[in-house]
Amino acid sequence: QVQLVESGGGLVQPGGSLRLSCTASGSSLDSYPIGWFRQAPGKEREKISCMGTTYGQFYVESVKGRFTMSRDNAKNTVYLQLNSLKPEGTGVYSCAAGGSSIVARNMCVIDFTSWGQGTQVTVSS
């Protein structure tokens, strides 16, 4: 079973950038499809981005063009680059790994089995 730990969150001004990391242990992360989630204060957790094992990618429309996922297999890490951050981007960002998956431009269906605890991102002036 893979274990996931997120890092890289913090306080940033609107328009700023952060890079979040999701680092795996216990297994090779390149064997798993990965999703990033955001839970804003008082709202449901939302799936915002996915990357499949063949590197297909999905982004929810609200972050498309501003957020980018990448993998570094040597470091067993998946990144989420957050650019042009908006106040509504505030929330707890978490990553999850799954088994079966279909990830494409317009679709992310992943059977998530492992979850990180999340990292706080606060976008405020």
Side-chain angles (χ1 to χ4, degrees):
Q1 190 84 274
V2 63
Q3 294 84 48
L4 305 175
V5 178
E6 302 94 339
S7 62
L11 176 64
V12 64
Q13 293 184 340
S17 298
L18 289 171
R19 188 175 72 165
L20 308 182
S21 298
C22 175
T23 300
S25 62
S27 189
S28 296
L29 194 54
D30 61 359
S31 300
Y32 297 86
I34 302 296
W36 280 97
F37 294 78
R38 178 175 63 202
Q39 187 165 22
K43 295 186 177 181
E44 297 286 318
R45 184 172 59 193
E46 178 187 22
K47 181 170 55 184
I48 59 172
S49 183
C50 301
M51 178 178 286
T53 55
T54 57
Y55 308 110
Q57 296 184 36
F58 163 86
Y59 300 91
V60 71
E61 194 67 28
S62 62
V63 310
K64 190 175 295 182
R66 298 186 297 113
F67 293 6
T68 305
M69 286 187 70
S70 61
R71 287 181 185 252
D72 187 334
N73 291 333
K75 296 181 178 179
N76 217 20
T77 297
V78 169
Y79 302 99
L80 183 65
Q81 179 70 39
L82 315 178
N83 291 333
S84 302
L85 280 161
K86 303 175 180 179
E88 55 263 42
T90 293
V92 175
Y93 288 72
S94 58
C95 62
S100 61
S101 66
I102 302 172
V103 181
R105 185 183 72 258
N106 299 319
M107 177 181 296
C108 175
V109 180
I110 300 176
D111 180 18
F112 291 109
T113 56
S114 299
W115 292 82
Q117 294 294 87
T119 184
Q120 176 71 41
V121 172
T122 302
V123 185
S124 177
S125 60

